[in-house]
Amino acid sequence: MQYATNYPISIAKRKQISQMSDLKLENRCPIDYALEVFGDRWTLIVLRDLMLSGKRHYRELMTSKEGIATNILASRLKKMEADGLVIRKHKPEDKRQVFYELTDKALDLVPVLLEISRWSVIYDKHTAAPPELMRRYHEEPQQLIADLQEAARVRQT
């Protein structure tokens, strides 16, 4: 741990600082945690593409209409892997080829993405959510969530 002083810090003081950090994590706001894991624009767009578009490779993710920069995509995929949202794998037949697989933790975000879509359709006239998807979400949300999660799992196999 780095400290902004040149003076030595006693072991007791370091332990006190560490306990304060642990206490902050124990009382963490769930919104704060969620935003830290998936709360930026590019993470949500990458999740959308992996979940709903069936994209699995870096080059496929680069083709998103939003135009993500290569350095941003690379950093988001590394963060998503560190946060347990994706697993980076190598193709068995060609170890040079890498693809990304969603974890259950990521697939549990399907309802979040659907709710963001629903909200956007209401408040932004330019939102292009598929009408059939929004109709199903309105009429049978639990079934749609299960179907989307299953479809994403099947595409990954």
Side-chain angles (χ1 to χ4, degrees):
M1 194 177 250
Q2 292 270 339
Y3 298 98
T5 178
N6 291 332
Y7 300 107
I9 296 176
S10 70
I11 293 174
K13 184 67 175 176
R14 287 183 188 189
K15 188 174 182 180
Q16 181 185 10
I17 291 169
S18 177
Q19 288 171 342
M20 287 171 33
S21 295
D22 290 345
L23 183 61
K24 286 180 184 178
L25 290 178
E26 286 176 16
N27 296 317
R28 184 180 210 168
C29 170
I31 302 297
D32 179 47
Y33 172 70
L35 290 173
E36 187 175 303
V37 173
F38 63 85
D40 70 275
R41 175 185 188 202
W42 295 115
T43 298
L44 288 168
I45 288 171
V46 170
L47 281 171
R48 176 206 64 194
D49 287 349
L50 290 168
M51 279 182 201
L52 304 176
S53 300
K55 296 177 180 182
R56 299 183 71 197
H57 300 275
Y58 187 90
R59 69 184 174 281
E60 294 171 331
L61 293 165
M62 285 298 305
T63 66
S64 294
K65 65 181 177 174
E66 291 80 10
I68 188 168
T70 57
N71 62 324
I72 300 291
L73 178 57
S75 73
R76 287 312 178 277
L77 286 167
K78 283 180 186 172
K79 183 178 182 322
M80 290 169 70
E81 187 176 14
D83 289 336
L85 296 175
V86 296
I87 299 169
R88 184 177 190 264
K89 293 187 169 185
H90 295 275
K91 284 195 168 190
E93 64 274 8
D94 184 354
K95 298 288 185 193
R96 294 172 299 164
Q97 289 191 19
V98 172
F99 65 95
Y100 295 89
E101 193 171 279
L102 293 165
T103 63
D104 286 340
K105 183 177 181 178
L107 290 171
D108 283 344
L109 292 171
V110 167
V112 174
L113 292 178
L114 287 170
E115 195 56 30
I116 290 170
S117 298
R118 185 199 66 77
W119 183 87
S120 295
V121 166
I122 292 170
Y123 294 104
D124 177 29
K125 65 181 178 179
H126 303 291
T127 292
E132 176 61 18
L133 185 75
M134 293 293 92
R135 181 197 61 75
R136 279 198 65 204
Y137 185 55
H138 177 73
E139 293 175 3
E140 49 182 12
Q142 295 308 313
Q143 186 60 52
L144 176 62
I145 291 165
D147 290 350
L148 290 173
Q149 289 171 328
E150 183 59 25
R153 283 186 182 97
V154 167
R155 278 193 302 271
Q156 293 184 152
T157 56

